Amino acid sequence: MDPTAPNSGDANGGAAADATAPSNTTVTLPPLTLRDVPLLPSAAAATDTIPNPISRHPYFHPPATFYISPGDVSLRHAFFDLASASPSPLVAYRRAGPRAGVAVDPARARAAVVTCGGLCPGLNTVLRELVVGLRELYGVRDVFGVAAGYRGFYGPDADHARLDLAAVDHWHKKGGTVLKTTRGGFDLNKIVDGIVARGYTQVYAIGGDGTMRGAVAIFNEFKRRGLNISITGIPKTVDNDIGIIDRSFGFQTAVEIAQQAIDAAHVEAVSAVNGIGLVKLMGRSTGHIALHATLSSRDVDCCLIPEVDFYLEGKGGLFEFLYERIKQKGHAVVVVAEGAGQELIPRTDDQKREQDESGNIVFLDVGPWLKSELGKWWKREHPSELFTVKYIDPTYMIRAVPANATDNLYCTLLAHSAIHGIMAGYTGFVPGPINGNYSYIPLEDVAVAKNPVDVNDHKWAWVRSVTNQPDFMKPKY
């Protein structure tokens, strides 16, 4: 028998083998929408580019594939439904990376780097790599660090320090930000006037969603005044609440340190009679740190996040679940994100209106409140039984540590992606990975994009399977 014949094979298996053989199907993809990033006025008007200085590097000789093609894009979504009758248009972004030709003359470039908002692991790594990349890759000699956030661009006490390789050499090994940081102080006209007065042609703003919104305003003011100044935002939030990009830097370090707090809470709970270890983790509007730390730890009995409401008393409530778990194991570990349960905590009218310097509603401290409620519940319901709650809040320990190896690498790639984009003549963008591909995203998109935990996806289902906690759906009678 000819083994290449369509029906070859034995009588029992040949047809089945053919039925499952792979086949090629031609598919027409939905339309593609490119969310492009703006060009500097000078870059848009230029008829030619400058050869990339990296090509003249004395030691590194890039291959032809090193440079990004002008037509290279990355897709926002890595998968889509071919069976959909009306598929949504595919959204694409410019791929990040070095271009063979640049639009900015390095000899005339004058860069300012600034950190804004709260601390985050990796801030100093981003700063270091911006300085190293600008000087070593492109030969930019005028790089300045702006102290004290956006307010550092104006005022009599504004501190602008020239940064060189020696100055930043060990910054990646330090927590915090060497440049100092503040919240608030955003006076648009004063900031732009200060940038113009000092002759800056490039601004690198590192911060969270508030910083990104500020960068959008600065970009629009540059455009309104007709200024040939670039600005890019490098997204930083410990709790990973910035949308579109895969993650923000510092997040993986935060999860790693959070596990140490969970380990300590577990030891305390196990070592007590009817012990509960309670850990509060960062996460005002999203529970990503709590979720990932819970999955990584495997010692957590209940994970409470802002995206899922919970209640304390009654059938299916937190107290009932914890009592059953303590009776089963002798202890329990609870992880709560700082934004969880806010609607349960009593507030005065003044507290409901209170905002911080960044304009965020001031959250009440869920950790001590929950610890107190647990104590009152046990004393009321089980007065004759021993009970202990050990509460751990590692918030500032998490924020202040240096970046781990993974975040250090990530910060380097973000910084270099930002530099490549600025030198190519782009402005008003954010560099970041989308499905693992580094891309340039319009600042205005990132400034409004949120990244809540999707409680309908597999990760939250994994948490539920690990903890076996209730869904906190109140029973209907």
Side-chain angles (χ1 to χ4, degrees), residues 406-450:
T406 302
D407 271 325
N408 256 328
L409 173 59
Y410 181 35
C411 290
T412 301
L413 296 174
L414 284 176
H416 286 200
S417 295
I419 294 168
H420 294 317
I422 290 284
M423 298 305 291
Y426 294 124
T427 183
F429 70 91
V430 167
I434 301 176
N435 303 312
N437 298 308
Y438 284 78
S439 310
Y440 294 139
I441 310 154
L443 258 171
E444 60 188 15
D445 289 11
V446 175
V448 298
K450 303 299 182 184

Side-chain angles (χ1 to χ4, degrees), residues 151 182-185 355-360:
R151 71 177 75 241
T182 61
R183 295 186 185 275
Q355 296 182 339
D356 63 19
E357 289 182 323
S358 296
N360 301 312

